[in-house]
Amino acid sequence: MVVTASQLYAVFYRYPPDGMDDAVTTVMSQCELWEDNIMRLFIAIQLDPNIKKALTDAQNELYQRGYKGRFTDITNMHLTLAFIGEFNDPDLILEAMEQVPFEPFDLTLGGYIGNFGDLLWAGIDKSQQLEKYVKSLRHALSEAQIPFDGKKFNPHITLMRNAASKRGFSDIVIRKEEMSVCKISLMRSDFGKHGAVYTELGSV
């Protein structure tokens, strides 16, 4: 049986080890599709420091309540607009992004924590400008025949995965920080010894 890089990613993304040893890294490097020209890509908004501080404060509150799981590292916090996955032509994606009209807009934390099963996330205040941009962005990707995850856009910022605790989280209030979104980034996700490492490949 051939194991692809994306299948391995799914396993370690959900059940990440504290650190991947050399043997695991070697297996990944030998996987079919694990080649220099195959990249795991997504389009996202990178967050300002004040937003990240409010989110890490919320994570600290979860930790104080005994939550166990994998907390999102502050350097990896972002708002995904379109998840593309394995794709070998980032320039084509950037060209599609450049076709989408963009004007800076404000982004405000919603002040609450939500969940998808054992994944906990921070909500975002409703923004017509954000929703309009994402709709246009996804249309441009479709026109360029760039595959992406077509699930309904539900703006959120992941706080932790595999969350487990006997205490609730619905009463935790996240400080409603605001930022101005001045660019949209194309990001690459790579395996690192301590989890995913995100790198900006370009922006509009």
Side-chain angles (χ1 to χ4, degrees):
M1 180 179 69
V2 176
V3 180
T4 67
S6 60
Q7 289 170 326
L8 269 176
Y9 185 94
V11 172
F12 286 99
Y13 192 65
R14 182 166 180 79
Y15 304 106
D18 292 332
M20 290 184 277
D21 59 23
D22 292 339
V24 173
T25 303
T26 299
V27 170
M28 287 182 174
S29 68
Q30 293 175 350
C31 282
E32 183 178 285
L33 298 182
W34 187 251
E35 303 171 357
D36 290 341
N37 65 332
I38 299 295
M39 293 173 276
R40 192 173 178 85
L41 306 175
F42 61 95
I43 299 170
I45 294 172
Q46 300 199 71
L47 306 175
D48 284 354
N50 63 314
I51 299 287
K52 290 184 175 182
K53 179 61 169 62
L55 297 176
T56 55
D57 287 347
Q59 288 178 321
N60 289 335
E61 177 64 24
L62 290 167
Y63 180 80
Q64 292 298 321
R65 295 190 180 198
Y67 272 82
K68 304 295 184 182
R70 184 160 76 97
F71 288 91
T72 302
D73 187 86
I74 188 171
T75 59
N76 283 350
M77 290 178 171
H78 64 275
L79 174 61
T80 300
L81 307 184
F83 179 77
I84 295 165
E86 290 178 345
F87 198 73
N88 64 356
D89 192 349
D91 289 339
L92 182 62
I93 300 173
L94 287 168
E95 288 174 7
M97 292 169 63
E98 289 172 354
Q99 302 305 310
V100 183
F102 173 74
E103 293 183 1
F105 58 89
D106 291 335
L107 187 72
T108 306
L109 292 176
Y112 61 92
I113 296 177
N115 72 294
F116 302 136
D118 61 6
L119 184 150
L120 303 187
W121 46 265
I124 301 296
D125 272 356
K126 186 176 178 60
S127 168
Q128 292 184 346
Q129 289 172 289
L130 172 62
E131 292 178 0
K132 180 180 178 181
Y133 178 81
V134 171
K135 183 178 180 179
S136 298
L137 171 65
R138 294 184 174 198
H139 177 73
L141 294 175
S142 295
E143 288 292 301
Q145 298 184 341
I146 297 169
F148 62 92
D149 187 343
K151 289 197 297 286
K152 181 180 178 181
F153 180 58
N154 186 351
H156 64 279
I157 303 166
T158 300
L159 296 174
M160 69 178 302
R161 295 178 173 84
N162 312 124
S165 176
K166 295 181 179 179
R167 299 183 62 182
F169 57 81
S170 61
D171 61 323
I172 296 178
V173 177
I174 300 178
R175 192 166 61 255
K176 288 178 69 71
E177 292 286 345
E178 180 179 297
M179 64 172 279
S180 179
V181 178
C182 297
K183 72 172 184 175
I184 307 296
S185 300
L186 174 61
M187 306 295 293
R188 172 175 176 165
S189 176
D190 295 298
F191 292 110
K193 285 199 171 185
H194 300 286
V197 177
Y198 300 150
T199 304
E200 183 184 79
L201 299 182
S203 64
V204 295

